[in-house]
Amino acid sequence: MASLTKAEEQKVWNHFPVIDEKMINYATNEALKDSKYIFVSSGKMKKGYCTHCHASFYVEEDVKQNASATCPKCDSKCTYKKDWLGRKYLTDSAYFLWF
């Protein structure tokens, strides 16, 4: 298969919009609104990490895998995930059209 020249490659990319902050916010808050997790470390002092607001904090309550939780920093509804358990198949996907 022949490779594209720079001009041909640019012509293809011109069909796609520039990814701006508005598009990222829509993808995060609307298209992937159920894809918010709090990963919790093991040990006595359990540390949590929210994938929505990217904040780290200590978790004082008992954590059950896949239990519902609320992030204390951003108040998002999240799902607990224990970080020592495998995440090999943890994927989220969404499709949306942007005009």
Side-chain angles (χ1 to χ4, degrees):
M1 180 171 192
S3 62
L4 298 175
T5 65
K6 291 285 184 188
E8 292 170 331
E9 185 178 322
Q10 186 59 42
K11 194 174 179 181
V12 170
W13 282 111
N14 286 341
H15 290 283
F16 298 98
V18 176
I19 298 173
D20 60 357
E21 192 66 30
K22 204 171 166 186
M23 185 185 293
I24 293 170
N25 284 337
Y26 180 80
T28 304
N29 297 321
E30 297 297 326
L32 293 169
K33 65 182 174 186
D34 295 328
S35 299
K36 299 174 187 171
Y37 302 99
I38 296 176
F39 288 98
V40 181
S41 63
S42 63
K44 221 174 224 186
M45 298 287 287
K46 295 182 290 246
K47 193 170 183 182
Y49 173 78
C50 177
T51 59
H52 182 67
C53 67
H54 308 289
S56 294
F57 47 89
Y58 288 102
V59 178
E60 297 178 12
E61 59 200 40
D62 287 332
V63 174
K64 292 186 178 180
Q65 179 77 351
N66 296 324
S68 295
T70 302
C71 175
K73 302 291 184 179
C74 66
D75 289 328
S76 293
K77 288 186 176 182
C78 300
T79 303
Y80 275 135
K81 294 289 185 183
K82 296 178 179 179
D83 72 353
W84 62 94
L85 296 178
R87 296 181 299 275
K88 183 177 180 180
Y89 300 107
L90 179 63
T91 59
D92 295 311
S93 62
Y95 297 97
F96 64 92
L97 299 175
W98 192 259
F99 296 98

